[in-house]
Amino acid sequence: MMSFTWFAGIYEGEGSCHWNDGSIAIQIQMTDEDVLRSVQEIVGGNVRGPYDRSTGNPRMVRKNGDPCPLKDMYGWYATGSSEDKYWLLRRLKPYLHARRQRQVEEVMQKWLAHKGYEVDLWRQSAPNKSQAILHLHAMGLGYKRIAKELGIKV
């Protein structure tokens, strides 16, 4: 059975996130539809494709000079609110290497700024704690881990 850590590895290698006109976008692009279907089973979202690339890349040719056709591409896209995507990125971040962590942190910071939150206040702000607890618990985190994530003493 695939796990969230497996998803993190796929995201590390093939995924990206960015800030897009007031919302968070998270996606993975690849030629393996079955892998993206497994991602969908773990974290939800939509799988789209195939996107036809059969015309090939003019820079890639076989030894006989024929163009080398490219495999069809598929994409996985996170769905839900930007807040849901924020919590997905927050859960994903510890599993990533430094470069990807910086990318994720940048997107998270932009969302927080867009919502008018200071990063430290987000963790301490009472109106958001109950909502944060519900989101983290829905993602499969236990209450002790949630308390640690939100800086709540148990």
Side-chain angles (χ1 to χ4, degrees), residues 30-31 50-57 68-73:
M30 64 171 39
T31 60
Y51 302 110
D52 183 19
R53 302 187 322 154
S54 62
T55 54
N57 183 336
C68 184
L70 301 174
K71 291 182 180 180
D72 289 340
M73 286 293 289

Side-chain angles (χ1 to χ4, degrees), residues 99-115:
R99 182 176 61 85
R100 288 275 192 210
Q101 284 185 351
R102 285 189 301 274
Q103 179 191 42
V104 164
E105 184 63 32
E106 181 181 318
V107 170
M108 290 168 54
Q109 294 289 339
K110 286 180 180 179
W111 182 78
L112 290 170
H114 176 74
K115 295 299 281 183

Side-chain angles (χ1 to χ4, degrees), residues 116-132 150 152:
Y117 298 127
E118 294 290 329
V119 176
D120 291 332
L121 292 178
W122 173 254
R123 290 187 180 148
Q124 300 167 11
S125 177
N128 296 313
K129 279 191 180 175
S130 61
Q131 194 171 23
L150 297 176
I152 301 170

Side-chain angles (χ1 to χ4, degrees), residues 5-140:
T5 52
W6 175 86
F7 160 69
I10 296 296
Y11 179 85
E12 175 81 39
E14 304 290 336
S16 65
C17 65
H18 60 275
W19 183 247
N20 185 19
D21 294 328
S23 66
I24 296 173
I26 308 170
Q27 62 189 23
I28 300 172
Q29 302 286 324
M30 64 171 39
T31 60
D32 300 316
E33 181 184 13
D34 59 331
V35 171
L36 295 178
R37 295 285 175 203
S38 294
V39 167
Q40 185 179 34
E41 287 177 22
I42 295 167
V43 293
N46 288 328
V47 175
R48 297 185 193 143
Y51 302 110
D52 183 19
R53 302 187 322 154
S54 62
T55 54
N57 183 336
R59 292 174 292 174
M60 296 177 67
V61 293
R62 293 194 169 100
K63 288 182 181 180
N64 67 3
D66 290 342
C68 184
L70 301 174
K71 291 182 180 180
D72 289 340
M73 286 293 289
Y74 296 85
W76 169 84
Y77 304 89
T79 57
S81 69
S82 281
E83 185 170 353
D84 292 337
K85 294 173 191 173
Y86 170 88
W87 287 107
L88 176 61
L89 290 175
R90 186 177 168 109
R91 184 173 177 205
L92 182 62
K93 185 179 165 189
Y95 297 100
L96 304 175
H97 285 89
R99 182 176 61 85
R100 288 275 192 210
Q101 284 185 351
R102 285 189 301 274
Q103 179 191 42
V104 164
E105 184 63 32
E106 181 181 318
V107 170
M108 290 168 54
Q109 294 289 339
K110 286 180 180 179
W111 182 78
L112 290 170
H114 176 74
K115 295 299 281 183
Y117 298 127
E118 294 290 329
V119 176
D120 291 332
L121 292 178
W122 173 254
R123 290 187 180 148
Q124 300 167 11
S125 177
N128 296 313
K129 279 191 180 175
S130 61
Q131 194 171 23
I133 290 168
L134 291 173
H135 278 287
L136 290 171
H137 187 65
M139 288 184 192

